[in-house]
Structures are given as structure tokens and as C-alpha cells.
Amino acid sequence: MGPISITFKLDMIQTLALAAVVLFAGYGIRRRVAVLDRYNIPAPVVGGFLFAAVSLALRLAGVIAFEFDTTLQSPLMIAFFTTIGLGASLGLLRVGGPQVLLFWVLASLLVILQDVIGLGLARLLGVHPFLGLIAGSITMTGGHGTGAAFGKLIEEQYAFPGAVTLAMAAATFGLVSGGLLGGPIATRLIRRRGLVPRPAAEAAPAPVAASEYHPLDQEIDTEPAGAAPTAYTLLKVVTITLVAMWAGAALGSWIQGTTGITLPAYIGAMIVAAVLRNVDDGVGAFGKRRGRRKPGLFAIEQRVVDDVGTVALSLFLSMALMSLKLWELFDLAIPMLVILAAQVMMMGLYATLVTFWLMGRDYDAAVMAGGHCGFGLGATPNAVANMEAITERFGPAPRAFLVLPLVGAFFIDFTNALIITTFLNLVRP
């Protein structure tokens, strides 16, 4: 690499503006390249990786180097996790019944296994344990959003360079692998055991509408379910999000001062947001029993929460990816591929031997096993795409479409973040 002739520095606002432009460039490319859409590669990943690749080429050629002021990355990341807390309504467990709770437990056990395998292989390969966590549930169950968030945290708080770059590469590998693995797993189970869909009269409750599958992973050019947000409702949710971030920071400082345990900034905000959401639901349920029309203390509308979270996540991902230092991948590429290959094999075994068996060993359980490969290695839209491909061929699976999206949309990100934080505290220097 020759000497850099020009260094182009962007301030905070310029960096945010460029991130928005890169985001919409990603949407344009995704619409025109079918394979990107087929595997649900997020638009921020498409645009961000492309910009990072061009930036790397220009840097290696000695033409220009970019320097970004990424001050807004952390607030956007915390806002995203806060909206996860606002979506964690315990009332949804009652809607889905015991199957939702069971699948949530199974998905959480998978998270722990992914981190244990990642750390074990990192130790065998003689690489830093943080690489094992990055190639574990941070990116496998967490996907690009959680990967970028924790990658930034590991870079800044634990001085592990290249964490975001590694996380984005691992998340993309997992996303594609999950899309390829789920269909064959479910098809093999269905054919080998002669499984058929249950008669309509015996089927589970109607599935969640397609527009409600994990809104935080959906593209922002799709129209979600629910009433369109007004300026008032949008401002209300933004205010609740900001207050939860403020109170969460205070909670984190109190926990650190009381116990000596340092929690990532988003954990306190996520916990406060979850408390606010469930208090709101409780007040609404109480008022309904008393014959009142008021939907709750704050009347939190999930669609607006999803909109705020999607905007925060999209801009955060775009900013994180366009500022990737791809040259930091070179030394750790092979160890990471070994760990990722092991994660894919484990996911296939887990879906077959655990998810399928414990979810009922019937047709819906086989469809769920295929879907679990999708979000256990990538994201909930991948899981839904897997299940839709299976049901188009073999018949409907309403229980699978009720259970898996609820866990993927509202619960697994919450438990995954807590489990990752626990492992980070165990292995940090």
C-alpha cells in the first residue's frame, strides 16, 4: 500500500448524511440483484459493504482515505435496543401459549451453545475469545444488528480491533448458511417420517400476519400492519425511547456503583423500556376489565415502536458498515471460518435433534426446525422465508407461523443480549 495522497475527514453530520445515502444506495442495489433479495441481505449491509470495499481499494491504491466522526453510532445503537425492550410484552406469551415459551427456552439454550462452541474453538485455535463470541450468538442468533452493536462495544470498551468488521462478515456468512440449511433439514424430516399437515379444524390459531414478522429486520420500504403513525404518536414513542435511554444510563451507573459490574449502555435502557411496556400493558388490561377505553398509561403503539427501531438500526448499520476497516479481516479469516463452519453443523443437529423433537415431532415441528435454522444463523425474515418455501411445497403449518415469529420478533434479542453480556464479563481481561 502506497502513501495516502488525500485524507477526507467527515464531521458528525456529514457522516450521518453519508450513512443515509449509502443506506438508500443499498436499497437500490438490492432491488436490482435478485440473489441479495432472495437471501434477505439487509440494505445497510449491501450499501455499507460496497462503500467499505471501494474505500479499501482507494486506500490500497494510495488515492484517498476516509475518516469518519461516528459519535452518533452509540445513541443509535442504544435507541435500537431500547425499542427491543419496548416490544418485549409478556402478554404475547399468553397469545402464543406454552409453545411460545418452550420455543423461547430452546432458542435461548441455542444461544448459550453457540457461545460455548465459539469460545471453545477460539481457545483450541489459539485466537482471542472475543472472536469466538463474535462468531457465536452475537452474529448467529443476533444477525447484523446485534453483531454491529456488540462489535462496536468490543472495539471501544475492550480494545479488540476489527470487531465490527469481523461481526459483519460472520453475520453475512450465517445469513446465507441459514437460508441454505433450513429447507433441506425440514424436507428430510418430513419425508423420512411421512409427516403431513394437520386438518384445518385441528390447526393452531391463525398465524401472525406476514407484515408482523420481526419488524426490526424488515426493510423500511415495506408497509407494516397497524394504523399509520401520526406526528403525535411518533413523537410520543421517541420521547419514551429517550426517557428509557436516560433512565437506563442511570440504572447502569447505579448497578456499577453498587455491585462493581459494568453493563453495556444499552442493557439498562432495554430493561427500563421492557418495564415501561409491561406496566403500560398492565394498566391497559386493568382499565379494560373496569370498562375503560384507555389502552394503557402511555398507549404504546407497536408499529410506531418498530418504525423508530428500524430507522435507528438502519442508520446505525449503514454508518458502522461504511466505516469498516476490511484489512483487519486478513489475519483472523481462517480461524473465524472454522468456528462458523462448526456453528452451521451444530445448528443442523440442534434443529433436528432438539427443536423438532421437543416441539412435538409433527409436521409443524419439522417446519419450525427449518425456520429455526433461518433465525438461529441469521434473522427472523430468513426463518419465515424458509418456512414459506417448505409450506408452499408440503402444506400449511399455522402453529409454526404463530410461534417462531413471536419469539424472533419480541423475545430472543432480549435474552441473547443478556447472555452475551454475561459471557463478555466472564472472558474480558
Side-chain angles (χ1 to χ4, degrees):
M1 181 176 69
I4 305 297
S5 58
I6 301 174
T7 299
F8 189 44
K9 296 183 179 181
L10 287 84
D11 64 23
M12 181 176 68
I13 299 300
Q14 291 167 339
T15 299
L16 180 64
L18 180 59
V21 171
V22 167
L23 169 64
F24 278 91
Y27 280 115
I29 295 167
R30 216 185 87 129
R31 290 194 189 99
R32 289 164 177 79
V33 182
V35 69
L36 299 176
D37 189 58
R38 186 180 310 126
Y39 288 109
N40 298 296
I41 306 297
V45 175
V46 176
F49 259 130
L50 179 61
F51 185 92
V54 171
S55 178
L56 174 63
L58 293 173
R59 182 184 181 90
L60 292 175
V63 177
I64 191 171
F66 293 94
E67 289 186 10
F68 301 104
D69 181 349
T70 58
T71 302
L72 291 175
Q73 267 192 14
S74 289
L76 289 169
M77 175 193 71
I78 297 169
F80 162 62
F81 278 106
T82 304
T83 60
I84 289 177
L86 286 175
S89 172
L90 294 178
L92 292 170
L93 289 176
R94 292 192 294 273
V95 174
Q99 284 263 307
V100 170
L101 181 60
L102 175 59
F103 189 70
W104 184 18
V105 170
L106 295 182
S108 299
L109 288 175
L110 175 66
V111 166
I112 295 171
L113 274 177
Q114 287 174 335
D115 289 334
V116 169
I117 287 174
L119 288 172
L121 286 175
R123 185 170 184 177
L124 284 175
L125 295 168
V127 295
H128 200 288
F130 285 160
L131 179 63
L133 289 177
I134 289 169
S137 75
I138 287 178
T139 55
M140 296 296 95
T141 293
H144 288 89
T146 304
F150 275 98
K152 183 171 177 60
L153 176 79
I154 291 170
E155 279 187 356
E156 293 182 349
Q157 291 195 15
Y158 302 112
F160 183 70
V164 174
T165 307
L166 292 165
M168 293 302 96
T172 302
F173 181 96
L175 202 66
V176 174
S177 299
L180 295 174
L181 183 66
I185 290 286
T187 300
R188 180 174 176 272
L189 288 169
I190 291 167
R191 287 180 170 169
R192 188 172 181 178
R193 296 178 170 272
L195 303 174
V196 294
R198 290 194 298 173
E202 302 176 14
V208 181
S211 59
E212 295 179 21
Y213 299 139
H214 211 331
L216 295 178
D217 280 342
Q218 286 183 343
E219 300 298 345
I220 62 174
D221 56 352
T222 60
E223 184 71 11
T230 63
Y232 177 80
T233 56
L234 183 60
L235 183 60
K236 178 174 62 176
V237 170
V238 169
T239 301
I240 294 170
T241 302
L242 291 171
V243 170
M245 291 167 65
W246 177 21
L251 176 63
S253 298
W254 179 79
I255 291 173
Q256 183 178 2
T258 307
T259 66
I261 298 173
T262 302
L263 296 176
Y266 65 87
I267 289 288
M270 192 167 62
I271 292 172
V272 170
V275 171
L276 289 174
R277 174 56 188 265
N278 286 283
V279 167
D280 187 60
D281 287 351
V283 171
F286 178 76
K288 191 174 182 180
R289 288 195 298 269
R290 298 291 296 271
R292 298 172 187 167
R293 292 186 177 182
K294 190 175 180 181
L297 189 63
F298 308 112
I300 297 172
E301 296 184 22
Q302 187 58 45
R303 171 176 173 173
V304 185
V305 172
D306 297 336
D307 288 342
V308 172
T310 300
V311 170
L313 176 61
S314 298
L315 289 173
F316 166 72
L317 268 179
S318 184
M319 192 182 300
L321 286 162
M322 75 181 192
S323 57
L324 287 179
K325 300 173 182 177
L326 292 177
W327 55 90
E328 294 174 342
L329 272 176
F330 298 153
D331 293 337
L332 294 173
I334 292 177
M336 186 171 72
L337 282 174
V338 171
I339 299 172
L340 292 174
Q343 297 284 13
V344 172
M345 289 188 286
M346 188 273 289
M347 182 71 253
L349 290 172
Y350 191 89
T352 303
L353 301 177
V354 180
T355 304
F356 172 69
W357 278 79
L358 293 181
M359 293 307 296
R361 290 177 289 175
D362 57 5
Y363 174 74
D364 281 81
V367 175
M368 269 187 272
H372 200 180
C373 293
F375 97 73
L377 292 173
T380 305
N382 244 30
V384 172
N386 283 354
M387 295 195 300
E388 285 179 343
I390 297 160
T391 54
E392 281 174 9
R393 186 168 189 177
F394 295 104
R399 179 162 53 90
F401 277 92
L402 173 70
V403 170
L404 192 144
L406 280 175
V407 174
F410 301 106
F411 298 115
I412 194 58
D413 284 333
F414 195 94
T415 50
N416 189 25
L418 296 176
I419 291 167
I420 293 166
T421 301
T422 301
F423 276 103
L424 279 174
N425 281 296
L426 288 175
V427 303
R428 67 179 182 177

